[in-house]
Amino acid sequence: MFIYITSVTKRKEDNMHIFFQEFHKILRNKSCILALIIALVINIGLLAATNPGEYYNAANYQKAYHKISTLNDDKKGTFIEEYYQSLIFNNINEYKYTHSFMGELELFNNLNKQWNKISSYPDFLTSIKQSSQDSQVAIFKNQSDFQKRNANKTIKDYQGLDNVKLTFTNVNAFIDSIDFAPTDLIALAFIFFIISSLLIYEKEHQLFFLLKSTKKGRTGLITAKTSVILLMSLMTVLLFWGSNIFVSCIKNGSLPLSVSIQSITSFTTSTLAISTGQYLLLFLVSKICIYSLIGMIFLFIALMSKKTIELYFLTILLFGISFTLYLTIPDNSTFTILKYISIIPYLLV
């Protein structure tokens, strides 16, 4: 018994030693560190340079939002509507927020839409509840049994949102933090580079075969490499999406964490009774899971590839097919399942 425990303990120590060796290999690899720095700089630069509108920038939005946020709730909508109408009828002598007519018009058009979505939310909930009895509502016409069940489920999903209060909030700060697609591309490219660094040299030089003669040697090595990839996936999410949150706060102002998720314009129809802070936590956990999964897919392709060119070709082919299916298959198609079992929908959370 003592010998068995000692053996297990020794094996765990050996596995940990291999893990730290592999992890240290990444840390001391100048190419990996340089790739990380370049990837972070590109991601931060792209996000910082992205404007919320065609004719106005983040500073303009922040200035207008700050003005509106100082008003009482019953005056915010009136201020936005009056200023927007003044722009439409060209009754403004001085542009206070963007210094151009088109910038001012686009900015307050978007602010007006944001306010209208918030203020009409109670009516939206009411329409959902009444829709099963209202034969004039388009989605309930000529229903199949599946559509009826789905409609009833939709009504139940929204029943728990009666007490949800929507707040006019800094939408841009939140959206920039969670909805910047280039971050996924850059982060996955970095993970792919890490996996290449861990595997390609050993595969090309047939070093994996040297471990077959040792007891559980290859198992310990691949376990260590897998653990390093999972750890790097976690660190990649924290570094890249964490930097997005940081840049977004500098660029757009404070990040709203305590308001309901429905207060964010693109989430108004969400059935999640959670705050923006809780959603952000779920978002980061989801990203960690999907990055880890894709890392394992990269690892599988790398192990199956006999040559380096196969690794690149199969990876590009996989994402190319997934992206094509996601873009080309309509939501009401018979082949919709092929659209949603691809990587892209999960990657977008």
Coordinates of all heavy atoms in Angstrom, one line a residue, residues 6 21 41 59 87 91 103 123 151 197 202 214 220 227 229 267 304 307 330:
T6 N 3.3 5.8 -2.7 CA 4.5 6.5 -3.1 C 4.6 6.6 -4.6 O 5.0 7.6 -5.2 CB 5.7 5.7 -2.6 OG1 5.6 5.6 -1.2 CG2 7.0 6.4 -2.9
Q21 N 7.6 22.4 -16.9 CA 8.6 22.5 -18.0 C 8.0 23.0 -19.3 O 8.6 23.9 -20.0 CB 9.2 21.1 -18.3 CG 10.4 20.7 -17.4 CD 11.0 19.4 -17.8 OE1 10.4 18.5 -18.4 NE2 12.3 19.3 -17.6
V41 N -1.3 44.7 -28.6 CA -1.2 46.0 -29.2 C -2.2 46.2 -30.3 O -2.8 47.2 -30.4 CB 0.3 46.3 -29.6 CG1 0.3 47.6 -30.4 CG2 1.2 46.4 -28.4
A59 N -15.8 60.0 -27.8 CA -15.8 61.2 -26.9 C -17.1 62.0 -27.1 O -17.6 62.6 -26.1 CB -14.5 62.0 -27.3
L87 N -32.8 69.5 -34.3 CA -31.8 69.2 -35.3 C -32.5 68.9 -36.6 O -32.1 69.3 -37.7 CB -31.0 67.9 -34.9 CG -29.9 68.2 -33.8 CD1 -29.4 66.8 -33.3 CD2 -28.8 69.0 -34.4
N91 N -33.1 74.0 -36.1 CA -33.2 75.1 -35.2 C -32.1 75.2 -34.2 O -32.2 75.8 -33.1 CB -34.6 74.9 -34.4 CG -35.8 75.1 -35.3 OD1 -35.7 75.8 -36.3 ND2 -36.9 74.4 -35.0
G103 N -22.9 64.8 -37.5 CA -22.5 64.1 -36.3 C -23.6 64.2 -35.2 O -23.9 63.3 -34.6
D123 N -44.6 48.1 -22.6 CA -45.6 47.8 -23.7 C -45.1 46.5 -24.4 O -46.0 45.7 -24.8 CB -45.7 48.9 -24.7 CG -46.3 50.2 -24.1 OD1 -47.0 50.0 -23.2 OD2 -45.9 51.3 -24.6
A151 N -44.5 29.5 -28.7 CA -45.1 30.7 -28.3 C -45.5 30.7 -26.8 O -45.2 31.7 -26.1 CB -46.3 31.0 -29.2
S197 N 3.9 26.2 -31.3 CA 5.2 26.2 -30.6 C 5.4 25.0 -29.7 O 6.5 24.5 -29.6 CB 5.2 27.5 -29.7 OG 5.1 28.7 -30.5
E202 N 8.6 19.2 -32.1 CA 8.7 17.8 -31.7 C 8.1 16.9 -32.8 O 8.7 15.8 -33.0 CB 8.0 17.6 -30.4 CG 8.7 18.3 -29.2 CD 7.9 18.4 -28.0 OE1 6.7 18.6 -28.1 OE2 8.5 18.3 -26.9
T214 N 9.0 4.7 -22.7 CA 8.9 5.0 -21.2 C 7.5 4.8 -20.7 O 6.6 5.1 -21.4 CB 9.4 6.4 -20.9 OG1 8.5 7.3 -21.6 CG2 10.8 6.6 -21.4
G220 N 2.0 11.4 -20.0 CA 2.4 12.5 -19.1 C 2.7 13.8 -19.9 O 2.3 14.9 -19.5
S227 N -2.8 20.6 -20.5 CA -3.0 21.5 -19.4 C -2.5 22.9 -19.7 O -3.1 23.9 -19.3 CB -2.3 20.9 -18.1 OG -2.8 19.7 -17.8
I229 N -2.2 24.3 -22.6 CA -3.1 24.9 -23.6 C -4.4 25.5 -22.9 O -4.9 26.6 -23.2 CB -3.5 23.9 -24.7 CG1 -2.3 23.6 -25.6 CG2 -4.6 24.5 -25.6 CD1 -2.5 22.5 -26.5
F267 N -29.9 44.0 -26.1 CA -30.3 42.9 -25.2 C -31.8 43.1 -24.6 O -32.2 42.4 -23.7 CB -29.4 42.8 -24.0 CG -28.0 42.2 -24.4 CD1 -27.0 43.0 -24.8 CD2 -27.8 40.8 -24.2 CE1 -25.8 42.5 -25.1 CE2 -26.6 40.3 -24.6 CZ -25.6 41.1 -25.0
M304 N -2.9 15.0 -35.4 CA -3.2 14.2 -36.6 C -2.4 14.6 -37.9 O -2.3 13.8 -38.8 CB -4.7 14.3 -36.9 CG -5.6 13.7 -35.8 SD -5.4 11.9 -35.6 CE -4.4 11.9 -34.1
K307 N 2.4 16.8 -41.4 CA 3.3 17.9 -41.8 C 2.7 19.2 -41.3 O 1.5 19.3 -41.1 CB 3.5 17.9 -43.3 CG 4.2 16.7 -43.9 CD 4.4 16.8 -45.4 CE 5.1 15.6 -46.0 NZ 5.2 15.6 -47.5
P330 N -29.9 30.2 -43.9 CA -30.9 31.0 -43.2 C -31.4 30.3 -41.9 O -31.3 29.1 -41.8 CB -32.1 31.1 -44.2 CG -31.5 30.7 -45.5 CD -30.4 29.7 -45.2

